[in-house]
Amino acid sequence: MSDHSTISLPPRTVRRQLLFALVGVAVLLAGPAIYSIGRLQAVRDIAFELHDRHAASRVAVGELRAALAEADRLQRSYIVTGDSTTRTQMLEALAETRASYRRSAAPEYGVSDLSIGRTLNELDVAAYRIDELVQSGAAAEATDYFGEIRHLYGDADAAVDVMAGAIDRQSAQATIRAETIASAAVTSTLIALVGSLAIALILGFGLTHLVTRPIERLRYAMNRVAEGEFDIGAPIEVGRRDELGDLARSFESMTDQLAELNRLKAEFVSKTSHNLKTPINVIAGYAEMLEDGLYGELDEKQAEAIRGIHEQVEALETQVRQLVDLSRMEAHAFTLRVQQVYLADLLLGVQRSFEALATQRDIHFEISTDPSAPATIFGDEDRLRNEVLGNLLANAFKFTEAGGSVSVQATGSRDGLVIEVSDTGLGIEPDSLDRIFDRYYQTGNGKRAAGSGLGLAIAREVVNRHGGEISVSSAEGEGTSFQVVLPIAGIDPAPALS
């Protein structure tokens, strides 16, 4: 047995592995998200720039153009009328041109403010000069002077056009920059997302394989142990330093102990069954001598007692034989003597073995052969007659009351020879049907529990060894039917039973 008590392992390692994997996946997925947020922030800043600065500058340029046109119109009207209200409006329009120019933030667009600023200053000086001339009654001189400075309004309009062009260019550049950032962000985000998902999937599959592989191996090993095979074959991962390794080591230790117990049990069964043969034979011998009258004549009650002793000796011999067969099976020493078997001879031997019992128990016993049944098969005739049909019929007679019937029917099928053993006895509980072929298993029925629980298990092993199948159907209180399917072709007798 393995001893792993000296190994100290860190607790909850699988839990930490799962946690690290989840954190890694979260980090991988968070990277593209953070990058996308940064790019969206840049696009948002450009959008604010377009909405706040460029839009406001466009409005200011429009107001500047309108204020210049209004100042030009009012200045003409003031020269002609000399009206004080017009004068006030003219000065306000000129003040609005300067305010609109300041709101347009022209220097930020790379446009020199010297030319338009100087022009606006000259328009202010000209306005005050015209006002002096008008106030002094020199309207003609004011008109001539206005003609001299009229080109300033044209210069101002030209400068405004330059400012508007600069604003439009920077707005277009900002839009292109936003589109470039957005396009690059989409591409980069998709690439990063696909890469992150790929890495996350690799991590997920790797972690899944890391966790499920030892579980699958352990499940396979458990299934083999559940079937009574303690040589589990596929290695379980006992070297892992985590909970799965703990489980594998515990299972290995348990399997070693079960294997040792199974070996001791098989050794005990083998020795005990062989040791029982001698006293059973002695009892049978004395019973025969008593029956033959070697110790005096027997009355009817004594003769009946001797017949009872014979029956019990036969039952003991059957159970000892089954124990011997079981020990051979578990030691992989149970072989078959394969030869050509004539179906008629096989069934005739079965009929001779049980017709006396049928007459004694007042049970109708019938064996029939359908024309479709093959004349011969290959197998071990003795084991088919005794371990298979013998055990099935022994059970059938045991659980069938007087007046009932037991039948054996042989037919042919695509799979080979089909032998069906049916009775009208007690039947089997539905919960027991799945376990009826297990070793040592007995149903809750008191009469059924009188056996050893080995007959059907041995019958199944012999049928399986012949490459066939055995199945059962039953209804409580109505009877039971066992169906044995045996291939016609020969089999290899070398492999031992499991």
Side-chain angles (χ1 to χ4, degrees), residues 3 10 13 80 89 105 107 114 176 191 193 202 285 287 312 358 411 421 424 454:
D3 183 11
T13 307
V80 174
Q89 293 175 347
L114 297 178
I176 293 172
I191 293 174
L193 184 60
I202 292 173
Q312 295 303 315
T411 59
V421 178
T424 59
L454 294 175

Side-chain angles (χ1 to χ4, degrees), residues 287-303:
E288 289 178 0
M289 287 188 292
L290 287 171
E291 195 173 30
D292 292 339
L294 295 179
Y295 297 98
E297 293 295 327
L298 303 176
D299 58 27
E300 184 61 29
K301 289 185 178 180
Q302 291 172 335

Side-chain angles (χ1 to χ4, degrees), residues 434-489:
D434 291 339
R435 301 186 58 192
I436 197 68
F437 293 105
D438 292 351
R439 299 172 186 176
Y440 305 109
Y441 179 77
Q442 296 175 332
T443 65
N445 185 285
K447 199 171 185 181
R448 188 179 299 277
S452 63
L454 294 175
L456 292 179
I458 294 174
R460 182 184 63 174
E461 293 286 1
V462 173
V463 171
N464 290 344
R465 178 62 187 85
H466 278 79
E469 296 179 354
I470 184 171
S471 59
V472 60
S473 60
S474 181
E476 283 191 272
E478 298 180 11
T480 303
S481 177
F482 287 89
Q483 187 179 75
V484 177
V485 180
L486 297 170
I488 299 175

Side-chain angles (χ1 to χ4, degrees), residues 379-433:
D380 189 325
E381 182 176 356
D382 290 338
R383 295 200 182 280
L384 290 176
R385 182 176 59 250
N386 298 322
E387 273 79 9
V388 179
L389 297 179
N391 280 324
L392 295 180
L393 285 171
N395 280 342
F397 279 103
K398 182 190 299 185
F399 305 117
T400 301
E401 302 292 342
S405 64
V406 174
S407 65
V408 178
Q409 184 179 22
T411 59
S413 72
R414 182 177 58 184
D415 297 324
L417 172 64
V418 179
I419 301 177
E420 187 168 1
V421 178
S422 304
D423 64 63
T424 59
L426 300 176
I428 303 171
E429 303 92 330
D431 294 341
S432 298
L433 286 176

